[in-house]
Amino acid sequence: MGTTWTKPIIGSLIDSGRICNTLSFAPSDCNYLYASTTPFKQGSQGMVIRKGNAQCLRSKDKGKTWMNIQAGIPNRIVMDFDIDPKNPQRVFAVCSGFGTPHVFFSEDEGNHWKALSDGLPDVPFNTVLIDPFQPEHIYAGSDLGVWFSSNSGKDWESFNDGLEEACLVMDLSVSKVNKKLRIGTHGRGMFERSLVSSFVSVASENLKQEI
């Protein structure tokens, strides 16, 4: 519970010491870690220096060894990953920047990535979340609010009802107790909204009662 901390290998560095931007583990297999690094590393006397490009990495042994899986993702910083709750090889990633796709999907642990941008604006994306109750439902947070896909990212629609206008969304999480999507923003507070899957389950139950 955080009382003590260890490194997988004493003295080891992820991506030659470049600054780690995000780190995620697979809920179904904690051996799987996905990480992204920035083009920057800590220099002498606390200075930050540019060293290479942003990278996307994967470990299958709890961080002892890492493999570069950037191929297929543009030269952008990956801001967040989310991994399927039942399949550690099925992973989504979102990127910052402009002029390139922003949401990517891999079903083979990052060896191949597919861009999923149909219906999305060309703005930085900061966070992505797979609905644990219905994994084909995907939510993505951007500099222009939240976007939702009901078909694993093939197409997207706005999910911004109730949010402040032009809301910069930095984090998404799920409250499993009441099936709510929780939204953390930059300077606009926090918001909560029912997951789409919660409406689907209610509709199904109502249909059973009518029959």
Side-chain angles (χ1 to χ4, degrees):
M1 296 185 291
T3 304
T4 59
W5 293 84
T6 60
K7 295 174 69 174
I9 299 175
I10 300 301
S12 66
L13 294 172
I14 296 177
D15 194 23
S16 302
R18 279 183 277 269
I19 295 171
C20 185
N21 188 62
T22 188
L23 178 68
S24 301
F25 73 94
S28 62
D29 186 347
C30 63
N31 290 290
Y32 276 79
L33 300 172
Y34 294 87
S36 74
T37 59
T38 73
F40 308 101
K41 65 183 299 185
Q42 197 79 28
S44 61
Q45 298 179 345
M47 296 179 63
V48 176
I49 58 174
R50 186 179 180 96
K51 187 74 173 180
N53 296 320
Q55 300 293 345
C56 188
L57 305 143
R58 180 199 67 230
S59 173
K60 295 196 289 185
D61 55 11
K62 296 183 180 179
K64 292 180 181 178
T65 58
W66 293 87
M67 177 175 288
N68 191 309
I69 53 171
Q70 181 74 18
I73 295 180
N75 185 23
R76 296 285 186 268
I77 297 174
V78 173
M79 300 299 291
D80 193 25
F81 300 97
D82 203 22
I83 303 104
D84 189 291
K86 296 182 179 179
N87 184 353
Q89 298 184 344
R90 186 174 181 265
V91 56
F92 285 83
V94 291
C95 296
S96 61
F98 297 91
T100 62
H102 298 282
V103 180
F104 294 85
F105 169 66
S106 174
E107 53 188 350
D108 60 1
E109 60 194 36
N111 293 318
H112 301 89
W113 294 96
K114 180 180 180 181
L116 302 171
S117 296
D118 189 10
L120 292 179
D122 182 14
V123 297
F125 275 71
N126 309 303
T127 180
V128 63
L129 182 138
I130 300 172
D131 184 342
F133 301 102
Q134 199 152 334
E136 67 271 22
H137 286 187
I138 313 299
Y139 299 85
S142 74
D143 283 9
L144 287 176
V146 180
W147 300 81
F148 168 73
S149 173
S150 62
N151 52 15
S152 295
K154 293 182 178 65
D155 50 60
W156 299 84
E157 59 186 271
S158 174
F159 198 71
N160 290 311
D161 289 352
L163 281 181
E164 299 288 342
E165 187 175 352
C167 197
L168 199 158
V169 174
M170 299 301 296
D171 192 35
L172 298 172
S173 66
V174 168
S175 170
K176 292 185 178 181
V177 175
N178 56 357
K179 293 189 176 181
K180 297 286 188 180
L181 177 71
R182 288 181 172 166
I183 302 163
T185 75
H186 180 74
R188 296 294 188 103
M190 298 182 66
F191 296 82
E192 183 179 77
R193 182 176 173 183
S194 294
L195 293 165
V196 173
S197 60
S198 67
F199 294 108
V200 173
S201 62
V202 169
S204 300
E205 188 62 34
N206 290 342
L207 182 60
K208 290 178 184 177
Q209 290 176 1
E210 289 176 13
I211 292 172

